[in-house]
Amino acid sequence: PNTNRNRDTVCVSNYLDYQNWDILDSFTFNNGGNDQVVSIAPWTLNEFIVFMRHSIFYVNTGVGRYATGDALSTDCFIKTLVTDVGCIAKRSVVQANGGVMFLSDNGIYAMNPTQVGTNESMRLLTNAQPISAPIDDIIKRINRNYAHRSVGIYWDNRYYLAIPIDGSSTNNAVVIYNFILNAWESVDTYPAGIDVFNFVIAKKNDQRRLYIIRSEEHTSE
């Protein structure tokens, strides 16, 4: 509605008809608040979370929207979750272990619902310390000018997050959180010239594995 750089509105397609969009089926957040939408993540049932650069919102699209072409329900609503924590990197937002992980200016947070249909656990976000508190020395080394390039993935009961540290403009380190141990498992760094542009899961020898994609083409003889 304004510019491509300052997005503050999320549009919702018709139910079971993703190519049909109604002008009224949209949600505008923090209009005029010098904020912008960074990422959207599914939550529970007909609910989703909108991560903005400096705040987080919760959206419920209502009930009864189950016919093709149905408009948004009259009982849909928006709730402000926090206004002092936002998301710094779109691709850091990952559904993991039944919740959502993301990177903010203050560190890495984990959001988990306590009951389907409620968002009470998310209200405590501002009072809880980031899950990255034990590795805060590493978080403080992130190059803030390129933190938006950070990318995460959930794999093998772990949250992998690639980040640019020590002045790097590319993701030259990966921090790994183990949900079984409920602790940070390792901080992996790479030699100059090797970076993590993205993660991808693919099969090799009938086994699913996690791979790293570099930002530059690499060939070997």
Side-chain angles (χ1 to χ4, degrees), residues 2-214:
N2 36 41
T3 67
N4 291 332
R5 189 171 182 178
N6 298 305
R7 298 172 295 236
D8 63 1
T9 299
V10 173
C11 297
V12 182
S13 68
N14 287 165
Y15 191 83
L16 298 179
D17 187 6
Y18 68 92
Q19 293 180 323
N20 190 0
W21 301 77
D22 292 328
I23 190 67
L24 296 179
D25 290 355
S26 62
F27 299 92
T28 299
F29 306 89
N30 214 8
N31 192 14
N34 192 29
D35 212 348
Q36 61 179 316
V37 175
V38 175
S39 183
I40 304 170
W43 190 238
T44 58
L45 300 178
N46 54 342
E47 305 160 0
F48 62 91
I49 306 171
V50 175
F51 292 91
M52 302 192 77
R53 183 61 185 82
H54 305 293
S55 54
I56 303 176
F57 291 83
Y58 160 91
V59 179
N60 189 315
T61 59
V63 297
R65 194 182 186 209
Y66 298 114
T68 301
D70 272 358
L72 284 174
S73 175
T74 56
D75 60 350
C76 64
F77 61 88
I78 300 173
K79 284 187 178 180
T80 302
L81 297 182
V82 291
T83 56
D84 59 350
V85 174
C87 180
I88 197 173
K90 173 182 178 180
R91 294 192 297 166
S92 71
V93 179
V94 173
Q95 288 186 287
N97 198 44
V100 177
M101 305 277 287
F102 67 97
L103 176 65
S104 76
D105 290 295
N106 302 328
I108 302 168
Y109 282 92
M111 299 165 56
N112 294 283
T114 56
Q115 181 180 352
V116 173
T118 69
N119 64 319
E120 295 304 318
S121 62
M122 293 185 287
R123 292 179 186 274
L124 303 177
L125 188 59
T126 53
N127 297 325
Q129 69 176 5
I131 196 173
S132 60
I135 58 167
D136 190 58
D137 57 327
I138 302 297
I139 299 300
K140 288 181 177 178
R141 291 165 57 187
I142 295 177
N143 185 347
R144 300 296 170 174
N145 293 326
Y146 296 94
H148 63 278
R149 295 181 175 177
S150 301
V151 57
I153 195 170
Y154 180 64
W155 167 252
D156 194 24
N157 296 308
R158 294 168 172 86
Y159 174 66
Y160 293 77
L161 181 67
I163 52 178
I165 62 172
D166 299 336
S168 175
S169 61
T170 58
N171 298 325
N172 60 339
V174 176
V175 293
I176 305 172
Y177 185 82
N178 188 315
F179 283 97
I180 295 178
L181 300 177
N182 290 320
W184 292 97
E185 191 170 54
S186 67
V187 178
D188 301 333
T189 56
Y190 303 92
I194 297 180
D195 66 281
V196 183
F197 174 74
N198 203 359
F199 294 105
V200 64
I201 298 173
K203 271 189 176 183
K204 181 178 182 180
N205 298 328
D206 292 327
Q207 182 177 354
R208 297 175 77 240
R209 303 185 183 187
L210 178 63
Y211 293 88
I212 288 174
I213 298 178
R214 297 176 54 184

